[in-house]
Amino acid sequence: MNRSICFYFQVHQPFRLRTYRFFDIGRNHYYFDEYYNKLIMRRVAEKCYLPMNDLLLSQIEKYKSKVKITFSFTGIVLEQMEMYAPEVLESFKKLIATGNVEVLSETYSHALCSINKRDEFERQVALHRETIEKHFGVKPKCFRNTELIYSDEIGATVADMGYKVMLAEGAKHVLGWKSPNFMYVNAINPKLKILLRNFRLSDDITFRFSQQSWSEWPVTTEKFVTWLNRIPDNEEIVNIFMDYETFGEHQAVSTGIFDFMAHLPEAILTQTNFKFATPSELAKKLQPVSAIHVPNKMSWSDEERDLTAWLGNALQDDAFDTLYKLTEKMKLVDDEDLIRDWNYLQTSDHFYYMCTKWLSDGEMHKYFTHYSSPYNAYINYMNVLSDFSECVDLHLKTKESTKLKNNLKKQKK
Amino acid sequence: MKVLMFGWEFPPHITGGLGTACFGMTKGLAKNNVDVIFVVPKAFGDEDQSNVRIVNASDITINLDHEKDRMYWNRVQYMEIGSNIIPYVGVEEFTQMVETGSNVYENFRGNVFAPSYEFSGRYGANLMEEVARYALIGSAIATQNDFDVIHAHDWLTYSAGVAAKETTGKPLIVHMHATEFDRSGENINTDVFAIEKNGMEKADVVITVSNLTRQIAIERYGIDPQKVVTVHNAVEPSEKTVLKHDGSKGKLVTFLGRVTYQKGPEYFVEAAYKVLQRDPNIRFVMAGTGDLIQKMILRAAQLRIGNRFHFTGFLQGNDIDQLFSMTDVFVMPSISEPFGIVPLEAMRSNVPVVISKQSGVSEVLKHALKVDFWDINALSDAIYGLCHYKALSDFFIKYGKEEVENIKWEHASYKIKKVYESLLS
């Protein structure tokens, strides 16, 4: 029997905020750290995006349609590529043009709005679709939500938006005895198929690849293939989902991650009965085994696989509520700069920096933050948000008064 | 007349109001024709030295064979600083020291005698060691300089003052800017208390910055009321004319000070919440830092006022002027404040102030709203009133400025000079 393996890589960089002091409120309306964002984009481009794209391209050239890859890009990472690393964007275009790469749909700015703001969620997804089509000339058919956040309700919304497949975490607390290696469907709308991440095999690469204290270290293609072959024959798919920055950035080149990835396709194709596939192909090919019930939101982040990396403590909740209180007002705004800032401020990373869970995933959180403490992250974000909401109010007021003036003119005529 | 003055900090390197007060005082003394030798543990080199001669304590070399120093060091030992408790050492760190069997006292003494020892000039982990070292140097400086009286500021310098008195026989004045009870509530550090008590007992005159502090000196330290004199602090007139920021973006209410128990920051946060219930357009700022800062940030987030309540961290110099220029109401809700110089600086910048009745400054101010620190309702009421009733705020701005311009260091220093003279006659 032929089984499938699906590799999906997430490509994302936030627009990090500059140190925005209280004194800046009402005086300076630029919130982002251009220097730092450029620095990181250049670093990741050199260490990860460019070498890894080359590697994948050579694999596709070698094995043609036998190797298939799936990518999801946030709108804001594409913006940063355009600004700071156009050659990276070109190299992704080249990869996608091979026809062996599927591109997924998601929110434009890696936002958390699927949680509570359906309108905003739909706006973000539509904006993202436009962007993907503009850059790559493809229309995404399959959906992945920010941080793989999923619940029955979010799935139903995504189905309403016309998608047939969605990716989610194969979280232990949701699956119980069930295996992630089958196709499932949404519990509310069975038309939406759900692909679940095999977190064990995914994390073997993402987190444990260079962990020398781990009994299975070092990870070799032989070992990986053995693990794949150990999966019971009736299980149909293995979903390896991870951040693209794993290659060369989280796992440095010195760990041998690139060599591993250069030999993995050959090993899989010759030593297992797994074939590469993309989510849309799987949706066509496979029949679901059952519905998956996820009443509470889950994600692919931290040990808990829930939303507590971004929401839950008082700092995060205050910031989140204050931000989304602006949703209705933002519907009336037609100023490009304000809409841009509104998008950027929704990025989940800002809330991640405010996380105070230091026990289980402290190291991970520390790795990703540029603030000295979650308190500083909160103060800085709230200062920015204060200025932003003042700008929004001012804009709407001006808009209202020009409208009144125009009406008066018309009446006079 | 010449004074040998022992301080711990001096502008621009300050951690609190002590440095600012010393600066104003020495200027005022200079105007009253009094010369000052001001000793600080570590001069950074960029202090304003136009009015005082700063002696950097780190620059003084001590000949340990000198008999007098030896003699003095014996007294230090006698002063009981060497007990096994060292302040500002965390519990864990201290336990570790004890468990590893290192004799804290030995280490303490050893370090004090190390010839390459340098004063850090900041309140730090080996504070007691620095205090003892400073005292040793105090007597050395005293023998090398010519002066009439000794004036020591706060407990950190009392040992130095006492040492200088004992080596020279010159009269000693100790100046209480804050007591251990102000800093720590009832959980006082007994070593610090002992140093304060000893300093005041050995002194010829004790100067307190308010009647509130005078009462504490008399009642809790048992000092003879006859020799305790209150000289209220003052404020330097502002040389800059700061333009008032126009209030088009809503009113701004400011807290400025260390975010510690003593300053009552939580009452400010709670009052902010109450005021915002009524008027969501007011902004609040907490400027400063301290051990309660994280608690305050978390509380503001819990109350969901984070977009109206801002934290700036520690501010200095121009940033403070800028903040005052934007401020509409200044609040000092201190639980215990020996004096509290910041409201005077606010009033000088045309900002009306709300202060707690438990502050020394409330003894000298007429044109300020005074509330009990714990009375959040009264505090919110005062803030709301000053934000909304223009007649009230205008009144306070006008008369407050007038009032504060008459609280001059020149006058305060004159009183201090009179104290010196009484000791010399």
Side-chain angles (χ1 to χ4, degrees):
Chain A
M1 195 191 97
N2 269 336
R3 305 195 276 174
S4 304
I5 186 162
C6 173
F7 279 91
Y8 141 63
F9 304 128
Q10 177 63 32
V11 186
H12 166 63
Q13 292 296 334
F15 275 102
R16 294 160 198 87
L17 297 172
R18 70 183 179 91
T19 303
Y20 189 88
R21 303 190 61 204
F22 164 74
F23 296 108
D24 293 324
I25 298 172
R27 296 175 183 186
N28 187 325
H29 310 306
Y30 193 74
Y31 312 135
F32 305 97
D33 194 331
E34 222 164 301
Y35 171 76
Y36 192 58
N37 288 323
K38 179 174 178 179
L39 190 81
I40 290 189
M41 175 47 86
R42 286 307 322 173
R43 190 184 76 199
V44 181
E46 302 297 337
K47 283 182 160 182
C48 163
Y49 298 153
L50 291 172
M52 194 60 191
N53 283 6
D54 281 350
L55 189 152
L56 292 177
L57 195 63
S58 67
Q59 294 293 314
I60 290 176
E61 277 166 2
K62 193 167 169 191
Y63 297 105
K64 303 287 184 282
S65 59
K66 281 184 186 160
V67 171
K68 302 237 161 118
I69 318 276
T70 304
F71 277 108
S72 193
F73 306 92
T74 59
I76 55 177
V77 79
L78 293 173
E79 270 189 58
Q80 291 190 62
M81 284 178 198
E82 275 188 294
M83 286 192 269
Y84 309 132
E87 75 274 30
V88 173
L89 190 57
E90 286 311 309
S91 118
F92 274 116
K93 281 181 185 168
K94 231 170 159 185
L95 258 180
I96 290 158
T98 62
N100 296 321
V101 173
E102 177 167 356
V103 181
L104 305 182
S105 188
E106 64 169 303
T107 58
Y108 185 82
S109 60
H110 209 256
L112 298 169
C113 48
S114 61
I115 293 167
N116 66 340
K117 293 284 172 200
R118 181 164 175 161
D119 292 356
E120 179 57 20
F121 183 47
E122 289 182 6
R123 184 192 72 85
Q124 282 254 358
V125 173
L127 182 60
H128 182 261
R129 285 187 71 85
E130 268 174 44
T131 313
I132 293 298
E133 213 180 330
K134 184 186 94 187
H135 285 299
F136 304 119
V138 294
K139 285 184 180 151
K141 297 189 187 85
C142 168
F143 194 81
R144 92 105 209 183
N145 197 13
T146 306
E147 304 282 358
L148 290 202
I149 292 170
Y150 178 82
S151 69
D152 294 339
E153 236 174 289
I154 292 172
T157 307
V158 170
D160 288 348
M161 286 155 72
Y163 293 95
K164 301 277 187 285
V165 209
M166 182 169 174
L167 313 189
E169 171 68 19
K172 248 188 290 188
H173 69 270
V174 167
L175 281 169
W177 56 267
K178 286 185 227 133
S179 160
N181 304 334
F182 290 102
M183 179 72 85
Y184 292 88
V185 290
N186 177 261
I188 297 173
N189 188 339
K191 280 186 186 149
L192 183 80
K193 292 181 172 170
I194 308 294
L195 283 170
L196 298 176
R197 173 174 178 260
N198 185 315
F199 70 83
R200 211 191 64 98
L201 286 173
S202 301
D203 289 349
D204 283 345
I205 299 177
T206 326
F207 297 124
R208 289 182 286 270
F209 189 80
S210 60
Q211 195 178 310
Q212 302 198 9
S213 57
W214 182 36
S215 59
E216 296 290 349
W217 184 85
V219 184
T220 58
T221 48
E222 289 79 23
K223 265 188 208 169
F224 201 78
V225 162
T226 320
W227 296 334
L228 281 176
N229 284 330
R230 241 183 248 161
I231 293 171
D233 271 340
N234 65 329
E235 302 194 359
E236 304 169 299
I237 24 168
V238 170
N239 293 315
I240 310 287
F241 300 167
M242 63 183 73
D243 283 342
Y244 197 42
E245 293 80 12
T246 300
F247 309 107
E249 179 69 13
H250 309 336
Q251 302 292 347
V253 60
S254 59
T255 61
I257 189 89
F258 285 103
D259 295 330
F260 174 79
M261 289 307 288
H263 293 98
L264 192 60
E266 188 189 354
I268 290 174
L269 290 171
T270 55
Q271 296 164 42
T272 72
N273 58 355
F274 283 93
K275 289 212 168 356
F276 286 85
T278 68
S280 309
E281 291 173 347
L282 291 172
K284 272 187 210 149
K285 191 175 136 193
L286 296 177
Q287 285 307 308
V289 290
S290 85
I292 182 103
H293 291 270
V294 190
N296 300 315
K297 295 172 191 75
M298 64 173 181
S299 79
W300 71 355
S301 196
D302 291 0
E303 273 301 305
E304 296 87 347
R305 300 287 197 264
D306 57 10
L307 302 189
T308 52
W310 312 278
L311 293 172
N313 76 25
L315 309 175
Q316 294 167 320
D317 290 349
D318 186 33
F320 187 80
D321 292 348
T322 310
L323 174 72
Y324 281 110
K325 254 184 218 153
L326 295 170
T327 315
E328 292 309 310
K329 280 184 191 170
M330 285 311 297
K331 286 178 183 168
L332 306 170
V333 169
D334 51 17
D335 180 272
E336 268 180 33
D337 288 348
L338 286 178
I339 295 171
R340 179 200 64 200
D341 292 347
W342 167 242
N343 288 337
Y344 292 0
L345 287 174
Q346 290 187 53
T347 305
S348 68
D349 302 63
H350 301 307
F351 303 95
Y352 193 83
Y353 305 140
M354 299 173 202
C355 182
T356 47
K357 296 193 297 182
W358 301 115
L359 291 173
S360 52
D361 294 284
E363 283 306 310
M364 210 59 210
H365 282 257
K366 234 189 269 169
Y367 173 82
F368 280 109
T369 188
H370 55 289
Y371 291 105
S372 56
S373 82
Y375 299 97
N376 289 340
Y378 168 77
I379 291 169
N380 206 49
Y381 186 81
M382 293 310 280
N383 284 349
V384 167
L385 209 51
S386 295
D387 183 72
F388 178 71
S389 46
E390 271 181 8
C391 290
V392 171
D393 287 342
L394 190 70
H395 167 76
L396 293 179
K397 227 173 166 180
T398 331
K399 211 178 139 187
E400 191 60 30
S401 62
T402 36
K403 209 165 128 193
L404 281 174
K405 268 182 212 158
N406 289 344
N407 284 348
L408 275 175
K409 271 185 200 163
K410 271 182 203 164
Q411 279 172 7
K412 273 180 192 169
K413 278 175 189 170
Chain B
M1 191 188 300
K2 200 171 197 178
V3 193
L4 174 64
M5 209 177 258
F6 291 106
W8 196 257
E9 56 179 17
F10 208 72
H13 302 287
I14 57 166
T15 54
L18 179 61
T20 317
C22 288
F23 184 51
M25 191 184 302
T26 48
K27 269 177 149 177
L29 284 170
K31 276 188 190 155
N32 284 293
N33 301 317
V34 179
D35 295 324
V36 181
I37 304 171
F38 198 97
V39 186
V40 285
K42 181 163 188 167
F44 289 80
D46 55 347
E47 285 85 355
D48 184 343
Q49 297 201 14
S50 52
N51 293 298
V52 287
R53 196 183 135 214
I54 294 183
V55 177
N56 185 339
S58 302
D59 291 342
I60 301 287
T61 47
I62 298 208
N63 183 359
L64 289 175
D65 299 329
H66 200 289
E67 212 174 311
K68 264 185 186 165
D69 293 333
R70 273 287 176 203
M71 215 176 73
Y72 174 64
W73 180 241
N74 290 336
R75 289 203 195 94
V76 175
Q77 278 177 301
Y78 171 70
M79 280 168 58
E80 299 180 353
I81 330 167
S83 83
N84 248 13
I85 296 166
I86 298 177
Y88 302 98
V89 171
V91 179
E92 281 177 2
E93 213 176 326
F94 184 74
T95 320
Q96 206 185 352
M97 283 166 92
V98 173
E99 276 171 359
T100 52
S102 66
N103 184 327
V104 176
Y105 175 69
E106 279 303 315
N107 282 346
F108 174 73
R109 189 176 162 142
N111 282 342
V112 167
F113 274 109
S116 64
Y117 187 82
E118 235 212 1
F119 277 90
S120 71
R122 289 266 193 276
Y123 303 141
N126 49 3
L127 197 56
M128 276 301 182
E129 209 176 87
E130 296 198 5
V131 167
R133 172 80 174 174
Y134 192 23
L136 193 60
I137 287 163
S139 65
I141 293 172
T143 53
Q144 288 163 16
N145 288 278
D146 186 39
F147 54 90
D148 302 300
V149 290
I150 309 155
H151 192 156
H153 295 285
D154 262 4
W155 73 273
L156 295 153
T157 73
Y158 286 181
S159 304
V162 172
K165 178 181 175 175
E166 284 176 358
T167 45
T168 63
K170 301 274 167 67
L172 168 68
I173 296 113
V174 300
H175 205 127
M176 288 296 269
H177 294 267
T179 69
E180 181 57 12
F181 294 98
D182 301 311
R183 285 183 292 263
S184 311
E186 289 304 310
N187 304 318
I188 57 161
N189 179 309
T190 49
D191 281 354
V192 174
F193 175 81
I195 292 176
E196 286 181 330
K197 189 166 155 58
N198 180 59
M200 287 192 274
E201 279 168 355
K202 296 271 167 68
D204 299 277
V205 170
V206 176
I207 297 179
T208 55
V209 292
S210 64
N211 293 329
L212 194 80
T213 308
R214 183 172 183 268
Q215 246 10 72
I216 295 175
I218 294 165
E219 284 165 15
R220 309 204 73 154
Y221 293 82
I223 305 302
D224 175 10
Q226 296 286 335
K227 69 173 191 183
V228 190
V229 185
T230 298
V231 176
H232 287 112
N233 280 340
V235 65
E236 285 294 294
S238 180
E239 281 142 26
K240 282 166 264 183
T241 41
V242 189
L243 282 178
K244 197 81 194 156
H245 199 62
D246 65 8
S248 61
K249 292 243 172 71
K251 301 282 181 182
L252 186 69
V253 184
T254 299
F255 171 104
L256 175 77
R258 277 176 296 118
V259 185
T260 56
Y261 164 81
Q262 177 198 2
K263 302 288 181 184
E266 52 250 271
Y267 302 101
F268 183 66
V269 179
E270 300 299 331
Y273 176 69
K274 289 213 162 201
V275 173
L276 284 169
Q277 299 298 300
R278 184 55 62 87
D279 181 351
N281 293 316
I282 298 176
R283 277 190 197 290
F284 292 82
V285 171
M286 183 168 280
T289 188
D291 55 1
L292 290 183
I293 190 75
Q294 295 196 349
K295 204 176 152 195
M296 295 306 113
I297 296 170
L298 212 54
R299 184 66 185 145
Q302 270 168 4
L303 293 169
R304 292 285 199 275
I305 54 175
N307 63 330
R308 290 274 135 198
F309 197 107
H310 305 276
F311 296 87
T312 65
F314 182 71
L315 295 184
Q316 263 180 308
N318 284 339
D319 283 345
I320 294 180
D321 296 333
Q322 198 188 347
L323 183 60
F324 279 146
S325 77
M326 297 157 70
T327 299
D328 296 285
V329 181
F330 176 82
V331 181
M332 187 181 75
S334 296
I335 291 171
S336 167
E337 186 74 68
F339 189 76
I341 220 161
V342 193
L344 300 183
E345 293 172 343
M347 288 162 75
R348 193 180 63 183
S349 309
N350 300 313
V351 179
V353 299
V354 185
I355 55 178
S356 73
K357 290 178 185 166
Q358 289 71 23
S359 65
V361 72
S362 70
E363 291 168 17
V364 294
L365 281 183
K366 280 192 203 74
H367 296 102
L369 286 176
K370 299 171 192 177
V371 298
D372 284 307
F373 71 85
W374 45 262
D375 194 346
I376 297 163
N377 288 331
L379 185 56
S380 340
D381 206 30
I383 294 170
Y384 185 86
L386 284 171
C387 283
H388 283 89
Y389 311 131
K390 198 165 178 304
L392 185 70
S393 55
D394 284 351
F395 183 86
F396 275 107
I397 290 169
K398 183 164 179 252
Y399 293 101
K401 175 103 173 166
E402 251 174 58
E403 185 177 17
V404 81
E405 272 170 359
N406 284 311
I407 306 177
K408 288 181 181 160
W409 270 115
E410 211 177 319
H411 304 322
S413 293
Y414 179 74
K415 285 185 199 159
I416 293 171
K417 187 188 179 187
K418 287 286 154 204
V419 171
Y420 296 159
E421 282 172 355
S422 73
L423 290 171
L424 293 176
S425 60

